[in-house]
Amino acid sequence: MSYQHQYVDGTRIHFPVGKVVCIGRNYAEHAKELNNPVPTEPLLFIKPGSCIVPLEGGFKIPTERGSVHYEAEIAVLLGKPLSARPTAQEVLDAISGYAPALDLTLRDVQAKLKEKGLPWEIAKCFDGACVLPPFVTSDQFADTTDIGIRLSINGQVRQDGNSNLMLNPIVPIIQYMAGCFSLQAGDVILTGTPAGVGPLNVGDALVLELPGVSQFSGEVR
Ligand code: ZN
């Protein structure tokens, strides 16, 4: 199923599907659960737009490459380009929407790459490695430092976080990213995952939420 950005009311968003810029270890409790040190500088990586799939209708995971871990994350859609250390206000003006996303990781593959000090692309960029439901418009959140994110699997809450727990809050992290490379309309920022990551299995029924604002369900096929 091909992916195009859209709002929850079904409106298609005309921006192209850009890159997905991610931050690793942005919640201290999650860094701890994987025995990773809490980074002193933001740890960035990029997924290509080609790996994005919609949540609606379910999604497939690789089944022969070791464990596939879910990471529920607040996704930010950019509607304007940003570069060269934008101001906080410029970042806020560029945000078009928010969605609860899944950053999927081939965890066993990633562990081997990490051991060897190699880049993570093979573990992070496979087709379907970013699952995105529709966005709510940015005016749904007056305060970017108080946005919840929750994932339930088969009726059990597995991850329940809030942007107030981020080591690098949403606006400063986007300023930092735009200081490293240009961001464009249609790019998506994944803001890191709270504690509680774990493996996905075929048949799992997922509910992804920005609690109180949007809620979506889908099944692993
Ligand atoms: Zn992640």
Side-chain angles (χ1 to χ4, degrees):
M1 194 174 178
S2 72
Y3 173 84
Q4 193 181 344
H5 294 316
Q6 73 175 61
Y7 288 119
V8 285
D9 67 358
T11 315
R12 300 257 163 162
I13 301 174
H14 63 271
F15 312 132
V17 178
K19 58 188 174 292
V20 183
V21 186
C22 310
I23 177 165
R25 303 173 200 168
N26 200 23
Y27 292 78
E29 289 298 318
H30 167 62
K32 254 191 245 168
E33 73 181 346
L34 293 185
N35 291 317
N36 286 315
V38 173
T40 49
E41 286 209 352
L43 187 168
L44 304 186
F45 61 95
I46 292 179
K47 289 174 175 250
S50 56
C51 77
I52 306 176
V53 291
L55 175 66
E56 196 183 21
F59 60 93
K60 286 187 177 163
I61 58 171
T63 52
E64 292 174 346
R65 299 174 69 192
S67 68
V68 179
H69 269 206
Y70 58 82
E71 299 180 1
E73 311 200 5
I74 299 165
V76 179
L77 176 67
L78 296 184
K80 289 180 184 171
L82 292 170
S83 60
R85 279 264 173 195
T87 63
Q89 192 56 50
E90 285 169 331
V91 169
L92 288 170
D93 291 345
I95 295 176
S96 272
Y98 298 95
L102 289 178
D103 168 14
L104 299 186
T105 307
L106 284 161
R107 194 67 81 199
D108 301 327
V109 173
Q110 186 195 33
K112 284 195 185 127
L113 295 168
K114 269 167 135 178
E115 237 169 61
K116 295 179 186 163
L118 294 171
W120 298 353
E121 273 89 343
I122 294 170
K124 285 280 191 185
C125 303
F126 58 89
D127 292 355
C130 180
V131 182
L132 262 179
F135 290 88
V136 294
T137 51
S138 53
D139 55 10
Q140 294 291 308
F141 293 100
D143 181 0
T144 60
T145 63
D146 185 16
I147 300 177
I149 173 77
R150 187 184 296 148
L151 170 66
S152 305
I153 302 180
N154 303 327
Q156 279 192 323
V157 176
R158 299 289 184 87
Q159 292 190 277
D160 196 1
N162 188 292
S163 61
N164 62 18
L165 297 169
M166 290 178 179
L167 299 169
N168 300 278
I170 290 175
V171 171
I173 194 57
I174 296 175
Q175 288 179 283
Y176 178 82
M177 288 170 173
C180 297
F181 38 75
S182 293
L183 301 173
Q184 276 146 347
D187 285 355
V188 174
I189 312 300
L190 293 191
T191 55
T193 195
V197 302
L200 276 183
N201 295 295
V202 172
D204 281 346
L206 275 56
V207 176
L208 257 177
E209 296 170 74
L210 299 176
V213 174
S214 66
Q215 184 182 43
F216 309 95
S217 45
E219 190 176 304
V220 182
R221 287 188 282 117

